[in-house]
């Protein structure tokens, strides 16, 4: 009879312990929800001071965000920049139009080629006549002196060694008389993209440190204003985690609202520049359209702002909380 009673007690104790864990988790979640709402209400109760901090964070995030948006739009122009660095194949005079088109299709199938364009000799002469201003002189020529041309576009970001191998391969074709490439434009394009990416990284790190310092200093002032309250909470048994929680949520709110304001500022910048850029593109006969920051990039910017706000608050609280004792 003793063994069944022992089993019932064990099961009852396990059931009570399971309910206790659930209640503790519910209480922990309820406390987090309460602290999150209270910290937001505390920030909104002082709108001027909170708005200044939010605007500082937003402006700090807008600068790398604007560069990021500019880099995304540069990728639209990469094809146009790359066109200036295309490989030009001049075919032999005996090459027929059909042979030139077949060779163009054959080259386009190569892995190291993004696109090709075949221009027959008559079309090349017509283009030269329209753009050179020598129509009268060209009419006296007995034959067409211009050869057929194949324009070969290598993929964006191709390495110089791979590009040189492609040129050697193109020279090996029998119908190719000569190959010409403007390497300077290719190198300039790669240097511009590399510089833009490096600039975004460096500026992003510097401004991230600035956000950490701004949030950290703001949280330090908040801690200094609530020293007596923190001492009372510790005196009645409050843990450092319990005391730290409101300040961490404050930093999180600073980062979240600052990130949202930065996104709005980027949208405003795009709206202000979209019209003039469209007019300029139309004057140059280009179909370029200024694109806003993508949704994925905006989400990354917002999450980064929240993380920086939380880290700034955690750093400030960790430095000052241990020095406050009852």
């Amino acid at each position: 009879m003793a063994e069944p009673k022992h089993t019932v007690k064990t099961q009852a104790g396990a059931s009570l312990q399971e309910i206790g864990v659930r209640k503790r988790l519910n209480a922990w979640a309820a406390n987090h929800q309460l602290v999150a709402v209270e910290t937001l209400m505390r920030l909104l109760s002082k709108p001027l001071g909170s708005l200044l901090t939010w605007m500082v964070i937003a402006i700090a995030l807008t600068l790398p965000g604007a560069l990021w948006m500019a880099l995304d739009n540069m990728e639209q122009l990469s094809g146009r920049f790359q066109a200036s660095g295309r490989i030009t194949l001049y075919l032999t005079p005996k090459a027929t139009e059909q042979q030139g088109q077949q060779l163009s299709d054959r080259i386009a199938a190569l892995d190291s080629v993004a696109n090709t364009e075949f221009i027959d000799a008559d079309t090349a002469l017509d283009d030269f006549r329209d753009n050179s201003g020598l129509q009268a002189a060209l009419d006296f020529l007995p034959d067409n002196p211009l050869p057929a041309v194949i324009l070969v576009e290598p993929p964006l970001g191709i390495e110089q060694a791979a590009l040189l191998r492609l040129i050697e391969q193109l020279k090996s074709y029998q119908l190719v008389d000569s190959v010409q490439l403007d390497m300077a434009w290719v190198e300039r394009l790669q240097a511009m993209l590399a510089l833009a990416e490096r600039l975004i990284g460096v500026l992003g790190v510097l401004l991230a440190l600035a956000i950490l310092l701004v949030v950290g200093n703001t949280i330090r002032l908040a801690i200094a204003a609530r020293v007596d309250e923190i001492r009372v909470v510790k005196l009645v048994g409050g843990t450092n985690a319990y005391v730290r929680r409101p300040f961490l949520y404050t930093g999180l709110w600073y980062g979240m609202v600052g990130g949202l304001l930065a996104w709005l500022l980027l949208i405003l910048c795009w709206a202000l520049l979209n019209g003039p850029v469209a007019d300029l593109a139309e004057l140059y006969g280009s179909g370029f359209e200024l694109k806003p920051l993508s949704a994925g990039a905006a989400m990354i910017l917002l999450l980064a702002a929240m993380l920086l706000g939380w880290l700034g608050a955690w750093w400030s609280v960790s430095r000052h909380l241990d020095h406050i004792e009852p």
Side-chain angles (χ1 to χ4, degrees):
M1 296 294 294
E3 291 182 359
K5 291 182 179 180
H6 178 71
T7 302
V8 171
K9 289 181 180 180
T10 302
Q11 293 176 352
S15 177
L16 291 175
Q17 184 178 5
E18 182 181 353
I19 296 175
V21 171
R22 186 183 298 112
K23 286 184 177 180
R24 285 197 296 269
L25 290 176
N26 292 335
W28 178 83
N31 180 257
H32 272 269
Q33 183 179 2
L34 178 63
V35 170
V37 174
E38 285 184 350
T39 52
L40 180 59
M41 292 298 102
R42 188 185 294 269
L43 292 177
L44 295 178
S45 65
K46 300 177 181 179
L48 182 59
S50 300
L51 181 61
L52 291 176
T53 304
W54 284 330
M55 288 305 300
V56 170
I57 296 174
I59 293 174
L61 291 171
T62 300
L63 295 177
L67 288 176
W68 194 347
M69 184 170 62
L71 184 61
D72 287 342
N73 282 277
M74 283 181 63
E75 294 181 355
Q76 288 190 74
L77 295 174
S78 62
R80 295 172 176 83
F81 285 134
Q82 189 179 4
S84 298
R86 288 181 298 188
I87 303 173
T88 303
L89 305 183
Y90 296 99
L91 304 184
T92 58
K94 65 179 181 179
T96 63
E97 182 176 349
Q98 182 180 2
Q99 291 174 334
Q101 186 62 54
Q102 291 176 351
L103 179 60
S104 177
D105 296 338
R106 179 181 176 186
I107 295 174
L110 298 176
D111 295 335
S112 55
V113 174
N115 189 23
T116 61
E117 180 183 359
F118 173 71
I119 302 176
D120 60 81
D122 294 335
T123 303
L125 181 61
D126 293 338
D127 292 340
F128 183 73
R129 178 183 287 108
D130 295 337
N131 299 321
S132 64
L134 301 175
Q135 295 90 341
L138 293 174
D139 292 337
F140 288 100
L141 295 176
D143 298 320
N144 184 358
L146 299 180
V149 174
I150 298 177
L151 302 178
V152 180
E153 293 186 8
L156 182 63
I158 186 174
E159 298 182 356
Q160 185 173 357
L163 189 59
L164 294 177
R165 289 195 299 268
L166 175 61
I167 293 175
E168 293 299 324
Q169 182 178 0
L170 296 176
K171 289 181 179 179
S172 64
Y173 293 116
Q174 295 181 354
L175 296 178
V176 176
D177 187 20
S178 62
V179 178
Q180 181 180 355
L181 170 66
D182 188 0
M183 286 293 297
W185 274 102
V186 178
E187 294 173 356
R188 288 171 191 167
L189 175 61
Q190 294 176 349
M192 287 173 59
L193 294 177
L195 176 61
E197 293 177 356
R198 184 68 58 87
L199 184 60
I200 292 175
V202 172
L203 187 61
V205 170
L206 293 177
L207 293 176
L209 292 176
I211 293 174
L212 289 176
L213 294 176
V214 169
V215 175
N217 184 66
T218 304
I219 297 299
R220 180 184 66 83
L221 296 177
I223 293 174
R226 301 172 63 181
V227 171
D228 294 336
E229 179 183 346
I230 293 174
R231 286 174 178 168
V232 171
V233 172
K234 283 191 171 185
L235 187 63
V236 298
T239 62
N240 284 340
Y242 181 84
V243 176
R244 186 187 300 116
R245 192 170 298 155
F247 300 105
L248 295 182
Y249 271 104
T250 301
L252 197 65
W253 285 121
Y254 276 133
M256 177 182 293
V257 179
L260 291 175
L261 289 177
W263 178 72
L264 292 178
L265 288 176
L266 289 173
I267 292 296
L268 179 61
C269 293
W270 170 80
L272 292 175
L273 295 176
N274 188 35
V277 170
D279 295 339
L280 183 62
E282 184 178 358
L283 291 175
Y284 280 93
S286 173
F288 175 78
E289 294 181 0
L290 186 65
K291 294 183 179 180
L293 194 66
S294 63
M299 183 59 64
I300 293 175
L301 190 68
L302 179 60
L303 294 177
M306 295 173 61
L307 179 61
L308 289 173
W310 186 88
L311 289 176
W314 180 84
W315 169 69
S316 182
V317 172
S318 300
R319 286 186 56 194
H320 300 92
L321 190 60
D322 293 336
H323 301 291
I324 303 176
E325 294 295 339

